[in-house]
Every structure is written in C-alpha cells, then in structure tokens.
Amino acid sequence: DTEVTQTPKHLVMGMTNKKSLKCEQHMGHRAMYWYKQKAKKPPELMFVYSYEKLSINESVPSRFSPECPNSSLLNLHLHALQPEDSALYLCASSLTPSGDNEQFFGPGTRLTVL
Amino acid sequence: RKEVEQDPGPFNVPEGATVAFNCTYSNSASQSFFWYRQDCRKEPKLLMSVYSSGNEDGRFTAQLNRASQYISLLIRDSKLSDSATYLCVVPRGGATNKLIFGTGTLLAVQP
C-alpha cells in the first residue's frame, strides 16, 4: 500500500459547524503533515506530527485542531471556521521527519465554508 | 532573494517539443531537491527526487547546479498529458522536514 487516503473528498460547512478531516497511511511513515492550498498558490504547511507528537504548528488559528491518534492516522478538527478558510486541505506523510525524505500527498479534502 | 523561486509561466509548447524549467534556491546547505507535478484541482505528485548532480527517468531529466544554486527540469518529447503545474520543492533543513515550495511553473502542451 503506497498511498495516503483522505476523507471526505468534499465538505461544505457553516461557520458554526464542527467537522473533522481524516487522513490515513499504511506505509509505516512516522511523519505526517497538514497543508492548506488556495487556488493558484503552492501548499502552505499547517502542522507536522513527528512520531505521533506535534512538532510544528505554523501559527495556525485555534479553530483548526490537529490530532494524531496513532502512527497511521491524522485528524484535523474544524470549529467556527471563516469563509476565507475555504481551500483544499492536503495531508502528506514521509518515512521520517528528515529533510531528505520525500513527502507523499493524499488527494485532499476540498472545503467550502459558507 | 526568495527561498525557492520559479518562473510561473505559462509555458505553451507544441507536442513533441523539449521544454526546460529552472528553479533557484537560496539555502546553499540544501542537500535534497524535489520536483512535484500538480494537475488542476488535484494533489501534488512526486515526479523526481534529486540528491546528487541529477536524475533521469524516461523523458524527464533533473539537473542540479550547486555552484549557481539552481535545479532544472527538462521534459523531452512533450505529451498533452504533461500539461500541469510543476512545483520545485526544497527542504528547509534542520530537525524537521519542512518543505519550501516554489510558486510552480504552468506547462500547457498544445496539439
């Protein structure tokens, strides 16, 4: 199994809703990432989990809350989002958090906040 | 100087053409480099990793020039299916794997 999966593919939510994005990989990778991508821009790093511990938070607002229940799973909990949070949310993983390891991306969740 | 810089394009080329993209980076200590391909509304997919002077995979060749701090991607015999955005990616280095993405180069291969 050489892929990263993400659910749901699409999500529409109101500003008062609470929802979660899910990411899974079974490649034995020990680093997992959340990125946000707006149209015609490169991905922007949000969070890094290294060996199931949060190692980087790129000053992301608290309305985004990451969780790593085990080495294969990564969640992103969403609450009280704003319309400007609408974007493609990408999960990625790499073998280790070393800078020489390639990152593999999931297909993303396209989020629309109304 | 930006950490990673690419010409945004678009590069409009006919089928069968050879096209090259350049990417410059600012961190002279960088050891690894990646080219990703991203189709419209899809995720980035790893195209090629470069750890030494270069790498070749079929029609695709990546070359690294450490002295001038740039990486190039050459695509030979372009196909319609090569139309995509090509992202140059350089790890920032240090203890964690933070990737610095270029803004991407848009390639449109015309029939």
Side-chain angles (χ1 to χ4, degrees):
Chain A
D1 189 351
T2 57
E3 64 174 11
V4 178
T5 58
Q6 289 187 244
T7 55
K9 284 190 167 53
H10 301 275
L11 179 61
V12 180
M13 59 186 290
M15 290 191 283
T16 58
N17 292 157
K18 283 186 184 181
K19 296 285 185 184
S20 296
L21 310 185
K22 296 188 184 302
C23 173
E24 192 165 3
Q25 56 86 15
H26 294 289
M27 296 180 278
H29 288 181
R30 303 308 301 274
M32 295 185 77
Y33 312 80
W34 280 115
Y35 288 86
K36 172 182 176 180
Q37 188 175 24
K38 300 283 258 184
K40 298 189 189 302
K41 299 284 188 185
E44 296 173 29
L45 183 66
M46 299 174 72
F47 301 104
V48 180
Y49 271 84
S50 173
Y51 300 96
E52 294 106 70
K53 292 192 188 316
L54 182 65
S55 59
I56 292 182
N57 175 342
E58 290 285 288
S59 303
V60 179
S62 59
R63 58 185 184 269
F64 295 91
S65 174
E67 178 197 17
C68 188
N70 59 54
S71 61
S72 300
L73 292 173
L74 188 66
N75 297 324
L76 186 63
H77 304 297
L78 314 173
H79 173 54
L81 293 195
Q82 305 295 310
E84 60 265 27
D85 296 322
S86 299
L88 179 67
Y89 287 84
L90 293 160
C91 174
S93 71
S94 63
L95 185 62
T96 73
S98 162
D100 292 335
N101 291 159
E102 301 109 336
Q103 290 185 21
F104 297 92
F105 287 83
T109 294
R110 191 160 296 280
L111 174 68
T112 302
V113 182
L114 301 176
Chain B
R1 185 181 188 178
K2 283 187 182 177
E3 289 186 272
V4 178
E5 201 152 8
Q6 295 181 253
D7 181 342
F11 282 61
N12 295 299
V13 303
E15 266 187 295
T18 295
V19 62
F21 312 134
N22 277 344
C23 167
T24 57
Y25 61 95
S26 62
N27 183 2
S28 59
S30 295
Q31 295 296 312
S32 52
F33 308 86
F34 307 106
W35 283 101
Y36 282 79
R37 171 207 167 114
Q38 187 168 25
D39 293 280
C40 189
R41 300 177 68 82
K42 300 282 190 182
E43 76 275 23
K45 289 189 193 294
L46 182 67
L47 180 66
M48 195 166 288
S49 307
V50 184
Y51 297 108
S52 58
S53 60
N55 196 0
E56 184 170 336
D57 183 6
R59 297 183 294 110
F60 299 84
T61 300
Q63 289 192 313
L64 171 62
N65 184 319
R66 287 190 189 275
S68 302
Q69 292 181 216
Y70 76 81
I71 319 116
S72 63
L73 178 68
L74 183 79
I75 305 175
R76 289 181 295 277
D77 189 23
S78 300
K79 313 287 185 196
L80 293 175
S81 56
D82 293 334
S83 298
T85 295
Y86 290 83
L87 295 162
C88 174
V89 183
V90 181
R92 177 172 282 166
T96 53
N97 192 4
K98 180 168 180 177
L99 298 182
I100 307 302
F101 287 80
T103 51
T105 297
L106 179 61
L107 172 65
V109 181
Q110 317 285 345

XYZ file of all heavy atoms in Angstrom, chain A residues 7-76:
571
model
N -10.468 11.533 3.825
C -11.925 11.642 3.766
C -12.369 12.845 4.586
O -11.721 13.201 5.579
C -12.609 10.374 4.338
O -12.127 10.137 5.662
C -12.341 9.166 3.456
N -13.475 13.489 4.182
C -14.189 13.282 2.925
C -13.465 13.948 1.762
O -12.486 14.671 1.970
C -15.526 13.983 3.190
C -15.164 15.109 4.110
C -14.054 14.588 4.991
N -13.913 13.707 0.538
C -13.328 14.375 -0.634
C -13.767 15.842 -0.688
O -13.005 16.715 -1.089
C -13.757 13.675 -1.915
C -13.062 12.372 -2.189
C -13.386 11.885 -3.602
C -12.497 10.766 -4.076
N -12.416 9.620 -3.189
N -15.026 16.066 -0.353
C -15.582 17.409 -0.358
C -16.322 17.621 0.959
O -16.900 16.680 1.503
C -16.588 17.600 -1.506
C -16.012 17.371 -2.860
N -15.352 18.342 -3.570
C -15.982 16.256 -3.631
C -14.953 17.846 -4.728
N -15.316 16.588 -4.791
N -16.321 18.867 1.435
C -17.037 19.193 2.669
C -17.536 20.625 2.571
O -16.757 21.527 2.249
C -16.104 19.034 3.876
C -16.674 19.359 5.244
C -17.848 18.444 5.580
C -15.603 19.245 6.323
N -18.822 20.801 2.832
C -19.411 22.131 2.914
C -19.901 22.293 4.341
O -20.609 21.440 4.868
C -20.581 22.298 1.928
C -21.180 23.700 2.042
C -20.122 22.046 0.497
N -19.512 23.377 4.984
C -19.929 23.579 6.369
C -20.219 25.042 6.649
O -19.658 25.937 5.993
C -18.870 23.058 7.346
C -17.508 23.685 7.237
S -16.267 22.883 8.299
C -16.805 23.351 9.938
N -21.109 25.242 7.612
C -21.413 26.590 8.059
C -20.403 27.039 9.099
O -19.627 26.232 9.622
N -20.424 28.305 9.403
C -19.416 28.860 10.312
C -19.602 28.371 11.745
O -18.665 28.452 12.544
C -19.441 30.389 10.251
C -18.912 30.939 8.943
S -18.652 32.710 8.962
C -20.324 33.299 8.802
N -20.751 27.818 12.075
C -20.952 27.344 13.453
C -20.774 25.838 13.589
O -20.853 25.299 14.682
C -22.351 27.720 13.950
O -23.320 27.153 13.051
C -22.524 29.236 13.985
N -20.528 25.172 12.448
C -20.424 23.709 12.496
C -19.095 23.258 13.085
O -18.115 23.999 13.108
C -20.529 23.129 11.084
C -21.906 23.283 10.460
O -22.041 23.268 9.255
N -22.925 23.419 11.287
N -19.120 21.987 13.536
C -17.883 21.289 13.894
C -17.773 20.076 12.977
O -18.721 19.289 12.887
C -17.944 20.765 15.341
C -17.727 21.778 16.411
C -17.666 21.096 17.763
C -17.545 22.103 18.881
N -17.467 21.456 20.205
N -16.616 19.938 12.336
C -16.391 18.800 11.459
C -14.946 18.341 11.625
O -14.116 19.043 12.216
C -16.612 19.187 9.988
C -18.029 19.608 9.640
C -18.957 18.412 9.578
C -20.341 18.853 9.118
N -21.313 17.741 9.135
N -14.654 17.155 11.074
C -13.281 16.634 11.129
C -12.860 16.104 9.774
O -13.666 15.495 9.066
C -13.184 15.506 12.164
O -13.444 15.996 13.455
N -11.602 16.336 9.441
C -10.990 15.744 8.259
C -10.115 14.578 8.728
O -9.469 14.661 9.785
C -10.119 16.758 7.518
C -10.737 18.117 7.189
C -9.772 18.947 6.360
C -12.074 17.961 6.504
N -10.103 13.516 7.901
C -9.333 12.331 8.292
C -8.298 11.988 7.230
O -8.528 12.166 6.046
C -10.262 11.146 8.518
C -11.217 11.363 9.669
C -12.002 10.112 10.004
C -13.027 10.372 11.101
N -12.413 10.881 12.342
N -7.177 11.464 7.699
C -6.080 11.078 6.817
C -5.514 9.759 7.329
O -5.384 9.551 8.537
C -5.005 12.158 6.839
S -3.498 11.750 5.955
N -5.162 8.873 6.406
C -4.632 7.574 6.811
C -3.529 7.131 5.853
O -3.629 7.357 4.646
C -5.767 6.535 6.816
C -5.431 5.234 7.478
C -6.676 4.397 7.784
O -7.797 4.814 7.428
O -6.510 3.324 8.381
N -2.497 6.515 6.398
C -1.448 5.922 5.560
C -0.983 4.632 6.220
O -0.936 4.546 7.447
C -0.274 6.896 5.342
C 0.401 7.440 6.582
C 1.511 6.567 7.150
O 2.016 5.646 6.499
N 1.917 6.851 8.381
N -0.650 3.645 5.389
C -0.185 2.357 5.899
C 1.170 2.026 5.310
O 1.460 0.876 4.987
C -1.214 1.267 5.583
C -2.504 1.467 6.315
N -2.627 1.270 7.681
C -3.712 1.886 5.892
C -3.854 1.542 8.042
N -4.545 1.927 6.995
N 2.008 3.060 5.150
C 3.344 2.872 4.606
C 4.389 2.804 5.705
O 5.581 2.741 5.415
C 3.673 4.025 3.642
C 2.758 4.061 2.429
S 3.121 5.400 1.295
C 2.262 6.763 2.074
N 3.942 2.866 6.960
C 4.905 2.855 8.061
C 5.622 4.177 8.232
O 6.663 4.255 8.894
N 5.075 5.234 7.623
C 5.693 6.555 7.750
C 5.480 7.108 9.154
O 4.412 6.949 9.745
C 5.096 7.514 6.707
C 5.540 7.219 5.316
N 5.139 7.955 4.230
C 6.383 6.269 4.826
C 5.706 7.481 3.132
N 6.470 6.446 3.477
N 6.504 7.805 9.681
C 6.429 8.310 11.052
C 6.305 9.823 11.121
O 6.371 10.408 12.206
C 7.642 7.833 11.854
C 7.807 6.318 11.873
C 6.536 5.582 12.293
N 6.085 5.970 13.607
C 6.523 5.410 14.734
N 7.431 4.470 14.694
N 6.043 5.799 15.904
N 6.194 10.467 9.977
C 5.932 11.908 9.951
C 4.694 12.148 9.103
O 4.561 11.571 8.010
C 7.121 12.678 9.376
N 3.791 12.977 9.613
C 2.559 13.297 8.882
C 2.311 14.790 8.967
O 2.704 15.446 9.938
C 1.370 12.500 9.434
C 1.536 10.991 9.215
S 0.106 10.020 9.718
C -1.037 10.308 8.362
N 1.669 15.310 7.926
C 1.577 16.757 7.752
C 0.169 17.158 7.327
O -0.499 16.422 6.598
C 2.534 17.217 6.628
C 3.942 16.662 6.740
C 4.231 15.372 6.313
C 4.966 17.436 7.268
C 5.520 14.859 6.419
C 6.254 16.929 7.378
C 6.517 15.640 6.948
O 7.796 15.126 7.057
N -0.229 18.365 7.721
C -1.411 19.015 7.157
C -0.966 20.270 6.419
O -0.172 21.055 6.950
C -2.417 19.420 8.233
C -3.284 18.317 8.723
C -3.315 17.784 9.973
C -4.300 17.613 7.992
N -4.257 16.781 10.060
C -4.875 16.670 8.853
C -4.771 17.674 6.671
C -5.904 15.798 8.448
C -5.782 16.825 6.280
C -6.342 15.891 7.164
N -1.487 20.418 5.198
C -1.262 21.600 4.387
C -2.600 22.199 3.991
O -3.595 21.494 3.842
C -0.538 21.251 3.082
C 0.915 20.871 3.203
C 1.290 19.552 3.472
C 1.921 21.816 3.013
C 2.626 19.196 3.564
C 3.261 21.467 3.090
C 3.600 20.150 3.360
O 4.919 19.799 3.438
N -2.570 23.506 3.724
C -3.718 24.217 3.161
C -3.272 24.784 1.821
O -2.175 25.341 1.716
C -4.118 25.354 4.101
C -5.174 26.295 3.562
C -5.437 27.404 4.569
C -6.419 28.431 4.035
N -6.675 29.507 5.024
N -4.120 24.606 0.800
C -3.770 25.150 -0.513
C -4.929 25.947 -1.087
O -6.029 25.414 -1.262
C -3.350 24.039 -1.485
C -2.804 24.592 -2.798
C -2.276 23.529 -3.724
O -2.672 22.373 -3.651
N -1.350 23.905 -4.602
N -4.652 27.208 -1.404
C -5.624 28.061 -2.092
C -5.334 27.993 -3.591
O -4.224 27.637 -4.019
C -5.506 29.500 -1.603
C -5.751 29.688 -0.102
C -7.208 29.639 0.246
C -7.767 31.003 0.470
N -9.186 30.957 0.911
N -6.326 28.381 -4.378
C -6.213 28.287 -5.834
C -4.995 29.068 -6.340
O -4.742 30.199 -5.914
C -7.484 28.818 -6.485
N -4.266 28.433 -7.250
C -3.110 29.031 -7.940
C -1.962 29.394 -6.980
O -1.110 30.218 -7.307
C -3.521 30.269 -8.738
C -4.529 29.976 -9.832
C -4.728 31.186 -10.716
C -5.875 31.022 -11.691
N -5.741 29.882 -12.576
N -1.955 28.794 -5.796
C -0.870 29.002 -4.840
C -0.265 27.656 -4.473
O -0.941 26.637 -4.563
C -1.398 29.667 -3.557
C -2.014 31.029 -3.768
C -0.966 32.076 -3.971
C -1.583 33.458 -3.992
N -0.590 34.491 -4.311
N 0.990 27.637 -4.016
C 1.546 26.360 -3.550
C 0.956 25.984 -2.194
O 0.381 26.832 -1.512
C 3.045 26.665 -3.429
C 3.120 28.141 -3.234
C 1.963 28.743 -3.958
N 1.098 24.729 -1.787
C 0.609 24.323 -0.458
C 1.332 25.087 0.647
O 2.529 25.364 0.556
C 0.956 22.835 -0.393
C 1.105 22.402 -1.815
C 1.637 23.587 -2.539
N 0.586 25.404 1.714
C 1.167 26.058 2.886
C 1.109 25.094 4.058
O 0.033 24.565 4.379
C 0.343 27.282 3.292
C 0.276 28.409 2.316
C -0.725 29.467 2.787
O -0.922 29.624 4.028
O -1.330 30.126 1.933
N 2.227 24.878 4.697
C 2.281 23.962 5.829
C 1.478 24.520 7.001
O 1.560 25.706 7.319
C 3.734 23.747 6.251
C 3.966 22.757 7.384
C 3.592 21.343 6.951
C 5.418 22.805 7.844
N 0.704 23.605 7.637
C -0.043 23.987 8.846
C 0.573 23.313 10.071
O 0.922 23.962 11.043
C -1.500 23.559 8.713
C -2.240 24.195 7.556
S -3.904 23.515 7.370
C -4.738 24.236 8.782
N 0.636 21.976 10.031
C 1.097 21.201 11.186
C 2.001 20.058 10.729
O 1.802 19.518 9.644
C -0.092 20.570 11.934
C -1.106 21.541 12.439
C -2.330 21.697 11.785
C -0.876 22.291 13.590
C -3.285 22.584 12.246
C -1.826 23.185 14.065
C -3.031 23.327 13.385
N 2.944 19.684 11.616
C 3.762 18.498 11.402
C 3.675 17.633 12.647
O 3.838 18.126 13.763
C 5.246 18.840 11.153
C 6.059 17.557 10.942
C 5.406 19.767 9.959
N 3.418 16.332 12.435
C 3.500 15.343 13.508
C 4.702 14.453 13.241
O 4.836 13.896 12.157
C 2.225 14.498 13.586
C 1.179 15.114 14.476
C 0.305 16.089 13.981
C 1.062 14.746 15.816
C -0.637 16.670 14.804
C 0.108 15.321 16.646
C -0.734 16.290 16.125
O -1.681 16.868 16.932
N 5.530 14.327 14.253
C 6.735 13.521 14.148
C 6.659 12.452 15.231
O 6.633 12.787 16.422
C 7.951 14.425 14.343
O 9.130 13.687 14.408
N 6.597 11.173 14.822
C 6.455 10.064 15.784
C 5.277 10.320 16.722
O 5.394 10.204 17.939
C 7.764 9.846 16.555
C 8.931 9.504 15.651
C 9.821 10.485 15.221
C 9.122 8.198 15.213
C 10.865 10.168 14.369
C 10.174 7.876 14.360
C 11.045 8.875 13.938
O 12.082 8.563 13.097
N 4.169 10.690 16.114
C 2.878 10.921 16.776
C 2.847 12.127 17.703
O 1.865 12.324 18.414
C 2.390 9.680 17.551
C 2.060 8.503 16.636
C 3.111 7.415 16.712
O 3.191 6.748 17.747
O 3.862 7.259 15.727
N 3.897 12.929 17.695
C 3.884 14.133 18.527
C 3.881 15.369 17.628
O 4.588 15.410 16.607
C 5.103 14.167 19.440
C 5.093 13.098 20.518
C 6.185 13.388 21.550
C 6.367 12.257 22.549
N 5.129 11.700 23.061
N 3.132 16.388 18.024
C 3.086 17.625 17.265
C 4.444 18.307 17.375
O 4.904 18.637 18.461
C 1.977 18.533 17.815
C 1.777 19.855 17.077
C 1.302 19.630 15.655
C 0.775 20.727 17.843
N 5.104 18.519 16.239
C 6.427 19.130 16.265
C 6.438 20.527 15.653
O 7.310 21.330 15.969
C 7.460 18.242 15.550
O 7.080 18.021 14.207
N 5.511 20.805 14.766
C 5.431 22.143 14.170
C 3.969 22.565 14.094
O 3.113 21.797 13.647
C 6.041 22.189 12.752
C 7.557 21.981 12.802
C 5.724 23.505 12.066
C 8.234 22.052 11.443
N 3.698 23.774 14.565
C 2.411 24.444 14.364
C 2.785 25.783 13.745
O 3.400 26.619 14.403
C 1.691 24.612 15.702
C 0.401 25.415 15.570
O 0.180 26.133 14.594
N -0.458 25.297 16.553
N 2.412 25.981 12.489
C 2.799 27.197 11.789
C 1.876 28.353 12.131
O 1.291 28.995 11.238
C 2.810 26.942 10.278
C 3.938 26.039 9.821
C 5.272 26.768 9.809
O 5.487 27.625 8.942
O 6.111 26.456 10.673
N 1.716 28.609 13.424
C 0.863 29.721 13.881
C -0.539 29.644 13.294
O -1.099 30.643 12.836
C 1.486 31.079 13.520
O 2.773 31.192 14.076
N -1.089 28.442 13.321
C -2.426 28.216 12.769
C -3.470 28.621 13.813
O -3.316 28.310 15.004
C -2.603 26.728 12.399
C -3.997 26.465 11.838
C -1.532 26.298 11.391
N -4.543 29.302 13.401
C -5.589 29.691 14.366
C -6.152 28.478 15.093
O -6.221 27.372 14.530
C -6.652 30.352 13.478
C -5.937 30.767 12.245
C -4.828 29.798 12.042
N -6.599 28.692 16.319
C -7.049 27.583 17.168
C -8.346 26.950 16.678
O -8.745 25.904 17.191
C -7.226 28.064 18.603
O -8.172 29.102 18.652
N -8.998 27.557 15.710
C -10.195 26.917 15.149
C -9.838 25.656 14.351
O -10.708 24.883 13.979
C -11.004 27.899 14.299
C -10.253 28.525 13.154
C -11.150 29.581 12.484
N -10.534 30.177 11.304
C -9.799 31.270 11.333
N -9.560 31.888 12.480
N -9.289 31.746 10.205
N -8.551 25.464 14.084
C -8.041 24.219 13.496
C -7.308 23.460 14.600
O -6.357 23.986 15.185
C -7.052 24.497 12.361
C -7.661 25.189 11.179
C -7.673 26.572 11.103
C -8.211 24.459 10.133
C -8.234 27.228 10.015
C -8.768 25.091 9.039
C -8.782 26.481 8.985
N -7.709 22.216 14.836
C -7.104 21.452 15.919
C -6.669 20.086 15.398
O -7.516 19.261 15.059
C -8.123 21.298 17.049
O -7.628 20.450 18.053
N -5.369 19.817 15.311
C -4.922 18.534 14.801
C -4.896 17.476 15.891
O -4.825 17.784 17.087
C -3.507 18.841 14.312
C -3.021 19.885 15.267
C -4.226 20.703 15.644
N -4.943 16.221 15.439
C -4.876 15.100 16.377
C -4.235 13.923 15.658
O -4.541 13.675 14.486
C -6.294 14.711 16.829
C -6.338 13.527 17.776
C -7.727 12.919 17.872
O -8.579 13.179 16.991
O -7.947 12.154 18.829
N -3.365 13.202 16.349
C -2.721 12.028 15.757
C -2.983 10.836 16.673
O -2.201 10.587 17.596
C -1.223 12.270 15.577
S -0.379 10.991 14.644
N -4.084 10.092 16.444
C -4.451 9.010 17.362
C -3.436 7.857 17.371
O -3.259 7.209 18.399
C -5.801 8.517 16.822
C -6.289 9.584 15.905
C -5.084 10.293 15.396
N -2.814 7.587 16.214
C -1.761 6.573 16.152
C -0.883 6.868 14.938
O -1.117 7.846 14.219
C -2.349 5.149 16.105
C -3.257 4.926 14.912
O -2.844 5.156 13.776
N -4.477 4.476 15.159
N 0.087 6.016 14.697
C 1.084 6.329 13.667
C 0.510 6.306 12.252
O 1.160 6.794 11.327
C 2.257 5.348 13.756
O 1.799 4.029 13.548
N -0.700 5.766 12.065
C -1.288 5.690 10.718
C -2.343 6.745 10.454
O -2.748 6.938 9.310
C -1.947 4.318 10.505
O -1.018 3.287 10.637
N -2.821 7.384 11.498
C -3.984 8.264 11.366
C -3.657 9.697 11.761
O -2.899 9.942 12.711
C -5.119 7.766 12.268
C -5.778 6.455 11.890
C -6.764 6.033 12.976
C -6.491 6.556 10.555
N -4.279 10.616 11.046
C -4.140 12.029 11.369
C -5.493 12.667 11.144
O -6.128 12.438 10.111
C -3.090 12.677 10.455
C -2.658 14.098 10.763
C -1.921 14.171 12.095
C -1.747 14.626 9.645
N -5.939 13.443 12.125
C -7.220 14.135 12.003
C -6.987 15.636 12.064
O -5.999 16.110 12.643
C -8.158 13.741 13.152
C -8.509 12.269 13.142
O -8.669 11.666 12.090
N -8.627 11.672 14.331
N -7.933 16.370 11.477
C -7.935 17.823 11.626
C -9.354 18.221 11.998
O -10.281 18.062 11.198
C -7.499 18.512 10.333
C -7.329 20.034 10.412
C -6.225 20.415 11.391
C -7.019 20.613 9.026
